[in-house]
Amino acid sequence: MDEQRCPLPPPLKTEEDYIPYPSVHEVLGRSSPFPLILLPQFGGYWIEGTNHEPKDPPEADQPPCPTSHVKLETNSTAKIYRKNFMGKEHFNYYTMDAALGHLVFSMKYDVIGDQEHLRLMLRTKIKTYHDVIPISCLTEFPNVVQMAKLVCEEVNVDRFYPVLYPKASRLIVTFDEHVISNNFKFGVIYQRFAQTSEEELFGNMEESPAFVEFLEFLGRKIELHDFKGFRGGLDVTHGQTGTESIYTSFHNKEIMFHVSTKLPYTEGDSQQLQRKRHIGNDIVAIVFQEENTPFVPDMIQSNFLHAYVVVQVENACTDNVIYKVSVTARDDVPFFGPALPDPAIFRKGPEFHEFLFTKLINAEYACYKAEKFAKLEERTRSALLETLYEELHINSQSMMGLGGDEDKLENGGAGGGGGGGFFESFKRVIRSRSQSMDAMGLSNKKSHTVSTSHSGSFTHNPAESPKTPGIVSSQFLVPPNSNTRIQTLVNRKSFLLLYLISITLREQCDFSPVREEYLLTLSEPLNSSHPASVRTKFSKSSGCVGPFLPLLHPSECIT
């Protein structure tokens, strides 16, 4: 028995097991100067920039951070397709992998220098793989599956399907670039001397000259009413989020600041929720300190705020304005550049402006890699990739004149299942459907409204409905009159095919709930931009793999 025993895991640590950091009140009870940032008592954050003592002698002629070292972080992979594939000869493919899920693959033949290369991109729900492989390194020219395995060994499929849709590149580049943003919003919090709580920070109403000077350094003051640029969630119509804000552009990126003192102040609301609901939903915020009071990241309770850039001013409103800077972020946020100099002191000027805005944007990109945002991004990417896959599949099938199983039906249901060709299959489905409707008492239902059920039935004059199961009424084949609003020509066979497929799919899958825009009503003309003049959609709620084909009324068929 003793040999089978195993030691129990150590108990989880509680707050009592940690040696807490000193509280802000303990620090304020000591002699100044105080640090710009204090870690929460039980950690959870990291700090950059703790030295703010000027060098002796000061290096007056040296900028604190060379501009060449200031670089915006970007997702370079997201721009590869637009740069190297779009508008050039290349091939796109799609498939489904049991483990990796939906895959979209792009291949291009490149000549770099005097050497032939294959430029490959594979999109999975986790990431996009990209590689450039010299053909001379390959023993034989690979097929598409082998190419995909060159960039991701985990690919395990038998085949890829070619994309035949002329506008596929637009869909693919939209997916690739969904991670690129040119709009940013940052919070700006004003911290006065000895303010150590969220209520005090959001309760400030007045702006000191030093704070006004800093806001002018950040950007220009704009009137929110009828503002046409990026508004960052602020109300530009009814003035419910204040009358003015701070806005700027930086390297073709629009930035709106949520300034705590410019958001509406509510009398009697100690939490100032009107202010917190904007700043608390930002990911990165600036904390401006006019005097020496430490900021603690957990002063503000927020699930979204992950990084703070704390700026403390000296010699405000003079010709020698100095800004001390410290940065803090949650533990799961990776470090982001540009790195703060040592000491972390800046003179007011274009160098500090470039550094600060680059740091803010890079901070937001880094926060996306934190656990909470990374999971959200993974779900978003997976859903977008599934949508891309479906669009490529549907449109490629449409280009070939197929719509899933239509080719099997046209050839008498390949693989057995009755024979007799398309029309016999059609008659069998109509017959069985009519019998099932008769059994439910629905065949003679006297309703003149458009049916909203998802059973596949449609409403028409009961006097004109076929009364003998299995007999197709001439109503299906004869157009109503010359005044019909439907302008798109659909030949007789195409209509019957669509009708059959719509009935079959409706019986096999539960498409409810289906949004109203997925249905074609009698009063809505067909859009010629839709393949075969019908809308082809996928029902997300049903879990059924297959296109949703709306059930057409006979009056919408013109021979």
Side-chain angles (χ1 to χ4, degrees):
M1 292 293 293
D2 291 337
E3 293 178 356
Q4 297 179 9
R5 297 180 187 275
C6 61
L8 294 174
L12 296 175
K13 289 186 177 182
T14 62
E15 290 187 356
E16 289 76 14
D17 298 319
Y18 290 92
I19 300 175
Y21 294 102
S23 70
V24 65
H25 300 288
E26 293 178 34
V27 173
L28 287 174
R30 304 170 186 171
S31 59
S32 59
F34 307 120
L36 274 65
I37 298 174
L38 282 180
L39 287 175
Q41 285 194 280
F42 298 99
Y45 287 78
W46 53 262
I47 298 177
E48 179 196 13
T50 56
N51 178 25
H52 300 98
E53 295 296 327
K55 291 182 178 180
D56 189 25
E59 299 177 3
D61 298 331
Q62 295 292 328
C65 183
T67 305
S68 59
H69 294 172
V70 177
K71 183 179 180 181
L72 276 173
E73 295 180 6
T74 59
N75 189 330
S76 57
T77 305
K79 300 179 180 180
I80 290 175
Y81 187 81
R82 180 182 293 276
K83 180 180 179 182
N84 296 291
F85 289 81
M86 201 168 181
K88 303 172 184 177
E89 184 181 16
H90 68 282
F91 301 91
N92 298 308
Y93 304 87
Y94 65 95
T95 193
M96 172 71 78
D97 187 290
L100 299 178
H102 301 90
L103 303 179
V104 177
F105 182 65
S106 300
M107 183 273 288
K108 179 176 178 288
Y109 170 81
D110 253 343
V111 177
I112 303 176
D114 296 330
Q115 198 170 15
E116 298 173 316
H117 292 76
L118 291 176
R119 186 178 294 273
L120 310 175
M121 286 189 73
L122 179 67
R123 300 161 188 84
T124 73
K125 62 184 178 181
I126 302 298
K127 61 179 292 187
T128 296
Y129 298 87
H130 170 253
D131 204 352
V132 180
I133 299 174
I135 295 178
S136 60
C137 297
L138 306 173
T139 56
E140 60 181 3
F141 198 85
N143 59 36
V144 179
V145 174
Q146 293 167 338
M147 290 181 192
K149 289 184 177 180
L150 289 174
V151 291
C152 179
E153 295 180 355
E154 299 172 8
V155 172
N156 184 22
V157 297
D158 294 329
R159 70 186 67 179
F160 276 81
Y161 300 94
V163 176
L164 303 177
Y165 184 46
K167 297 181 181 179
S169 291
R170 300 183 188 178
L171 301 176
I172 294 173
V173 78
T174 300
F175 169 81
D176 283 353
E177 296 181 356
H178 81 272
V179 296
I180 299 175
S181 176
N182 290 319
N183 299 323
F184 295 87
K185 56 188 183 71
F186 301 115
V188 181
I189 303 168
Y190 182 29
Q191 182 183 19
R192 292 180 179 272
F193 178 72
Q195 289 186 336
T196 58
S197 69
E198 179 181 288
E199 290 76 15
E200 291 173 326
L201 296 178
F202 287 124
N204 290 323
M205 297 178 61
E206 302 295 329
E207 298 175 352
S208 68
F211 187 45
V212 171
E213 180 186 35
F214 180 68
L215 293 179
E216 292 173 351
F217 175 76
L218 290 180
R220 60 186 177 92
K221 184 165 64 175
I222 53 99
E223 295 292 329
L224 286 175
H225 184 68
D226 288 338
F227 179 68
K228 302 304 180 184
F230 173 64
R231 60 189 183 91
L234 299 179
D235 181 14
V236 296
T237 304
H238 305 291
Q240 295 181 354
T241 56
T243 59
E244 59 186 27
S245 189
I246 302 298
Y247 167 88
T248 191
S249 59
F250 177 76
H251 294 318
N252 298 319
K253 302 179 187 297
E254 293 185 81
I255 300 174
M256 178 66 79
F257 291 98
H258 294 156
V259 184
S260 60
T261 54
K262 295 187 181 298
L263 292 168
Y265 178 86
T266 306
E267 291 286 350
D269 182 6
S270 60
Q271 292 184 301
Q272 293 302 318
L273 295 179
Q274 282 280 52
R275 293 178 169 182
K276 185 178 177 180
R277 77 182 186 80
H278 288 285
I279 297 177
N281 284 322
D282 293 331
I283 297 174
V284 181
I286 300 173
V287 179
F288 179 80
Q289 299 174 340
E290 192 169 353
E291 299 183 57
N292 191 212
T293 300
F295 172 77
V296 186
D298 66 355
M299 281 183 182
I300 299 175
Q301 300 300 316
S302 170
N303 289 322
F304 285 89
L305 280 169
H306 273 55
Y308 297 92
V309 178
V310 181
V311 179
Q312 189 176 109
V313 66
E314 285 188 359
N315 307 323
C317 302
T318 67
D319 294 335
N320 189 30
V321 180
I322 298 294
Y323 291 115
K324 299 178 180 179
V325 180
S326 284
V327 175
T328 183
R330 302 196 188 196
D331 279 341
D332 58 351
V333 176
F335 176 81
F336 48 90
L340 285 169
D342 187 22
I345 300 175
F346 296 85
R347 287 182 175 83
K348 180 183 176 183
E351 291 86 3
F352 178 49
H353 186 276
E354 184 81 10
F355 179 94
L356 178 62
F357 278 79
T358 304
K359 193 75 169 177
L360 289 170
I361 293 172
N362 290 349
E364 180 150 324
Y365 281 133
C367 289
Y368 292 153
K369 300 175 184 177
E371 182 180 3
K372 181 177 297 183
F373 295 119
K375 289 181 178 179
L376 179 62
E377 163 61 18
E378 183 177 333
R379 290 197 300 268
T380 303
R381 177 184 176 89
S382 179
L384 291 175
L385 183 61
E386 180 182 355
T387 301
L388 174 63
Y389 174 95
E390 292 172 354
E391 290 287 338
L392 296 177
H393 173 71
I394 292 170
N395 287 291
S396 295
Q397 293 290 299
S398 177
M399 288 296 296
M400 294 189 294
L402 305 176
D405 291 337
E406 293 94 320
D407 52 337
K408 296 182 181 179
L409 295 170
E410 288 280 5
N411 295 310
F422 167 79
F423 285 102
E424 288 303 317
S425 300
F426 176 79
K427 289 178 182 179
R428 282 196 300 272
V429 173
I430 293 297
R431 183 182 300 114
S432 62
R433 185 163 187 82
S434 299
Q435 290 171 348
S436 64
M437 292 175 67
D438 285 338
M440 294 185 294
L442 298 176
S443 60
N444 294 320
K445 186 176 180 181
K446 300 178 185 292
S447 173
H448 295 274
T449 59
V450 177
S451 171
T452 58
S453 73
H454 309 307
S455 64
S457 61
F458 53 82
T459 304
H460 55 281
N461 192 329
E464 300 175 359
S465 61
K467 300 200 169 136
T468 306
I471 303 299
V472 181
S473 169
S474 60
Q475 161 186 343
F476 287 99
L477 308 178
V478 180
N481 55 60
S482 58
N483 295 325
T484 180
R485 295 175 59 190
I486 310 303
Q487 301 298 321
T488 305
L489 296 180
V490 181
N491 63 46
R492 181 180 309 174
K493 191 173 181 181
S494 297
F495 164 70
L496 297 178
L497 176 61
L498 294 172
Y499 178 78
L500 172 62
I501 296 169
S502 64
I503 288 176
T504 305
L505 289 175
R506 284 173 183 267
E507 290 181 338
Q508 292 177 351
C509 308
D510 176 17
F511 283 100
S512 59
V514 178
R515 293 200 300 251
E516 290 182 0
E517 63 264 26
Y518 283 9
L519 301 175
L520 285 176
T521 63
L522 301 183
S523 61
E524 182 179 359
L526 292 171
N527 189 331
S528 61
S529 65
H530 297 141
S533 300
V534 297
R535 297 179 182 179
T536 307
K537 297 286 184 181
F538 274 72
S539 172
K540 300 296 183 185
S541 61
S542 67
C544 173
V545 179
F548 173 76
L549 297 175
L551 190 57
L552 300 180
H553 191 275
S555 63
E556 295 177 342
C557 174
I558 301 176
T559 55

